[in-house]
Amino acid sequence: MIKELIIDSSPNGATIALLQDKQLVELHKEQITNNYTVGDIYLGRIKKIMPSLNAAFVDVGYEKDAFLHYLDLGPQVLSLLKLTKQVRSGGYQSKLLDNFKPEEDINKAGKISDVLSKGQLLPVQIAKEPISTKGPRLSSDLSIAGRYVVLVPFSEVISISKKIKSNTERNRLRKVVESIKPKHFGVIIRTVSEGKGVQELQKDLLDLISKWETFVTKLHGTEPSKKVLGEIGRTSTILRDILNPDFQHIYVNEQSMYEEVKSYIHEISPDLENIVRLHKHKETIFEHHGIEKQIKSTFGKTVNLAGGAYLVIEHTEALHVIDVNSGNRTANKENQEENAFQVNKEAAREIARQLRLRDMGGIVVVDFIDMHKPTNRKELFDYLKAEMSHDRAKHTILPPSKFGLVQITRQRVRPEMNIVTSEVCPTCNGTGTIRPTILLLDDIENNFNYILEEQNEKNITLCVHPYIEAYIKKGLFNRQMKWYFKYGQWIRVKSNPSYQITEFRFFSSKDEEIKL
């Protein structure tokens, strides 16, 4: 599988496209104005305790208070509160946790009112960006992610990714991390750590420890509701999480972004530094790589599939609904069951891509074409799971219900990617209405009064739609002849088939358009 990353940088941010075998599978937008990114740590102030929800609303500077549930506090929240109080009062001088005495873990079935109180300061991490009318979703179970490991304060646990299957490798990684991790810090070993040496893991861990030290330093003077520690940019986050030897090229269209990406890759994976390329063509980077066309054809309510079938995607506040239709598919002349099975498999592959591409989260209900054979339903379910296995977002797929519906839940941490693919009608400018045609000639004559009498133009040409030209020239004593007697000069009338029915333009004797 050939992977390519295309980065379109602009003054307002960057749009990042991930291609697999030249097909667009992920699209991300990194906006400079977006202050709330998953992973950012803020010094929150508790605004309100809600015992009925077992949750609290926290002020992190957003227009709406952020939501913090008891289950998102993390077992070591009392240790975090203690550290925050000591650091802000100047009573704790060390930047690590060597001399810190952790508190006991909180009860999983406890109440939030027993842990937090109104006005209390608590460092919190953005777990979900603001979506729709809701504020950010928070967690106080802090973690700082690197390329190979994740650092978790107030813990001694070393966790290893389940995707690393070899027991020998798991034991090796555990021993390596145990030998280099600081006291009172837990570590999560990521999948990409497999096969990496001590030096690479240690460098990544030291970078994370440095970030923790920055967090403790800033915690002392940061004002409530302000950011304490920011996550790296979306571009670097994607590179950190998905960069592997499968990547063939990374194309960037702007010099400073090119240097930033190349420098970051040199840090995390020096052997891949040479795959970064600077886009130097006249056309835009997305047009050159065919991404613009893919965006226009892929987003929207209806998504056409190669075999003639199509998907209809509807979005509501509560869930997303995807309907699979066979359309005019006639390629397979076998029985109806086999045809439905082939359409459903084609649709399943595209649905897995659409979920990643649009970053659709929450509940997704898919209405596949009805199939009667249990073996086909089972095979389709397994095929959908295999296609969804490439998705980095956490997800769960339920087997088809007795109505043939497949339910998917997918992690939602940021707003869905929504791109409007329809264009504004040039005739009505998106209003759905045009000026009355009966007033068209009045508009033309009003402009004649301005151009011929006030501007004193001579030998002008009126260019209109062919239907309007035919109407103006119809008959012996036609509208063109009336204009000659009224204005004292002959006005040429020409037609242009590309014009809209009510569109008209004036040109001077030098064939230059007269701007009105």
Side-chain angles (χ1 to χ4, degrees):
M1 183 181 292
I2 299 173
K3 292 184 179 180
E4 294 175 300
L5 204 65
I6 317 296
I7 304 173
D8 181 13
S9 180
S10 69
N12 297 324
T15 304
I16 306 144
L18 174 62
L19 305 183
Q20 287 182 357
D21 296 331
K22 299 296 181 181
Q23 188 179 44
L24 182 65
V25 293
E26 288 187 25
L27 192 66
H28 303 269
K29 286 196 174 183
E30 180 183 15
Q31 295 179 328
I32 294 175
T33 55
N34 184 14
N35 295 323
Y36 296 89
T37 303
V38 173
D40 288 350
I41 300 177
Y42 284 76
L43 180 60
R45 183 191 292 276
I46 309 300
K47 289 289 291 293
K48 189 184 294 184
I49 302 292
M50 302 292 291
S52 58
L53 300 175
N54 205 16
F57 285 101
V58 186
D59 178 16
V60 290
Y62 190 68
E63 57 190 41
K64 290 195 173 184
D65 291 336
F67 184 79
L68 176 63
H69 194 271
Y70 182 85
L71 296 177
D72 295 322
L73 289 177
Q76 300 90 19
V77 65
L78 295 178
S79 299
L80 181 60
L81 287 167
K82 178 181 176 181
L83 180 71
T84 303
K85 189 174 181 180
Q86 290 182 357
V87 169
R88 291 186 65 82
S89 65
Y92 190 81
Q93 301 300 324
S94 175
K95 293 181 180 179
L96 292 179
L97 301 176
D98 297 352
N99 303 320
F100 183 80
K101 185 180 179 181
E103 297 290 306
E104 291 185 3
D105 292 356
I106 60 172
N107 183 1
K108 290 182 179 179
K111 297 181 179 178
I112 199 164
S113 55
D114 296 335
V115 179
L116 300 179
S117 57
K118 185 178 179 181
Q120 200 169 14
L121 297 181
L122 172 67
V124 288
Q125 196 163 23
I126 304 293
K128 287 185 181 180
E129 294 177 13
I131 297 173
S132 185
T133 58
K134 300 173 183 175
R137 178 81 181 252
L138 304 177
S139 169
S140 57
D141 192 6
L142 304 185
S143 63
I144 305 175
R147 176 156 172 77
Y148 300 119
V149 296
V150 178
L151 189 67
V152 183
F154 313 112
S155 172
E156 299 290 349
V157 178
I158 297 176
S159 304
I160 304 176
S161 169
K162 293 180 181 178
K163 293 182 180 180
I164 300 177
K165 303 297 184 183
S166 169
N167 288 329
T168 305
E169 179 64 9
R170 292 174 70 90
N171 291 332
R172 183 190 74 86
L173 290 171
R174 186 182 299 276
K175 288 178 181 178
V176 168
V177 171
E178 278 179 348
S179 66
I180 59 177
K181 84 172 187 68
K183 187 179 179 181
H184 297 319
F185 281 95
V187 174
I188 301 170
I189 302 173
R190 306 183 73 174
T191 308
V192 288
S193 299
E194 190 170 8
K196 300 302 176 184
V198 179
Q199 187 176 355
E200 292 168 295
L201 296 174
Q202 186 174 25
K203 182 182 180 301
D204 195 41
L205 189 58
L206 289 174
D207 288 342
L208 300 183
I209 292 170
S210 176
K211 287 186 178 181
W212 171 261
E213 291 175 341
T214 302
F215 163 73
V216 174
T217 303
K218 289 186 175 181
L219 185 61
H220 176 72
T222 300
E223 295 181 11
S225 309
K226 300 296 183 182
K227 187 188 295 185
V228 184
L229 187 68
E231 174 66 287
I232 57 177
R234 184 73 63 84
T235 306
S236 300
T237 303
I238 292 171
L239 290 172
R240 180 191 70 193
D241 292 346
I242 67 175
L243 188 66
N244 59 43
D246 290 341
F247 272 86
Q248 297 289 319
H249 300 104
I250 297 175
Y251 295 100
V252 189
N253 68 333
E254 197 260 333
Q255 184 68 38
S256 61
M257 176 66 80
Y258 165 77
E259 292 171 357
E260 179 185 329
V261 169
K262 197 161 186 175
S263 173
Y264 184 73
I265 291 181
H266 178 73
E267 288 183 16
I268 65 172
S269 192
D271 54 319
L272 294 176
E273 183 181 352
N274 293 328
I275 68 174
V276 186
R277 299 279 189 273
L278 182 63
H279 176 77
K280 296 181 179 179
H281 297 273
K282 289 184 179 180
E283 57 187 341
T284 64
I285 190 168
F286 273 16
E287 285 181 359
H288 181 74
H289 293 278
I291 296 171
E292 200 68 48
K293 185 177 181 180
Q294 288 196 54
I295 290 174
K296 291 291 185 182
S297 63
T298 305
F299 286 85
K301 180 178 177 180
T302 303
V303 178
N304 295 312
L305 306 179
Y310 63 94
L311 307 177
V312 178
I313 303 177
E314 296 275 7
H315 307 282
T316 71
E317 188 70 22
L319 50 82
H320 309 277
V321 181
I322 302 177
D323 184 32
V324 180
N325 294 276
S326 59
N328 58 358
R329 182 186 174 108
T330 56
N332 193 328
K333 297 182 180 179
E334 299 293 328
N335 58 48
Q336 184 179 355
E337 176 79 10
E338 181 63 22
N339 193 60
F341 178 58
Q342 294 301 327
V343 171
N344 283 339
K345 282 187 70 175
E346 187 181 359
R349 183 170 60 252
E350 182 61 27
I351 287 167
R353 174 179 172 237
Q354 287 288 329
L355 295 182
R356 290 176 67 188
L357 191 55
R358 303 188 187 210
D359 205 6
M360 293 161 59
I363 302 173
V364 181
V365 178
V366 184
D367 182 12
F368 284 104
I369 299 172
D370 290 342
M371 296 184 298
H372 302 291
K373 292 183 179 179
T375 54
N376 285 345
R377 291 198 294 267
K378 174 71 166 58
E379 191 172 338
L380 175 65
F381 176 60
D382 293 338
Y383 184 79
L384 179 60
K385 286 199 296 183
E387 289 295 319
M388 288 286 291
S389 65
H390 305 296
D391 196 339
R392 290 180 291 126
K394 295 177 182 177
H395 59 271
T396 304
I397 307 173
L398 298 182
S401 69
K402 64 179 180 180
F403 299 116
L405 303 178
V406 172
Q407 299 174 65
I408 304 170
T409 59
R410 186 175 182 274
Q411 182 184 26
R412 178 165 64 175
V413 296
R414 57 181 60 90
E416 175 198 345
M417 176 66 67
N418 185 24
I419 296 177
V420 179
T421 56
S422 56
E423 298 177 355
V424 175
C425 171
T427 305
C428 67
N429 290 322
T431 63
T433 59
I434 60 174
R435 277 185 59 77
T437 52
I438 197 171
L439 300 179
L440 177 63
L441 291 180
D442 289 345
D443 288 343
I444 292 173
E445 291 181 2
N446 288 337
N447 284 292
F448 278 153
N449 293 332
Y450 172 75
I451 294 170
L452 300 177
E453 296 178 2
E454 295 186 28
Q455 297 295 321
N456 201 27
E457 290 277 355
K458 302 293 183 184
N459 301 319
I460 69 168
T461 301
L462 170 66
C463 204
V464 292
H465 188 275
Y467 287 171
I468 305 301
E469 182 206 24
Y471 176 76
I472 292 173
K473 294 182 175 180
K474 181 183 178 182
L476 180 62
F477 195 67
N478 52 38
R479 185 72 62 163
Q480 193 176 19
M481 187 66 70
K482 290 180 181 178
W483 288 341
Y484 172 73
F485 288 115
K486 182 175 181 179
Y487 300 111
Q489 59 174 291
W490 187 254
I491 298 169
R492 292 189 300 276
V493 180
K494 295 172 63 176
S495 66
N496 189 329
S498 67
Y499 280 19
Q500 306 299 327
I501 188 72
T502 58
E503 184 179 359
F504 59 88
R505 296 180 188 180
F506 300 98
F507 294 87
S508 68
S509 57
K510 296 180 180 179
D511 206 28
E512 296 175 347
E513 185 177 352
I514 300 171
K515 299 295 184 181
L516 301 174

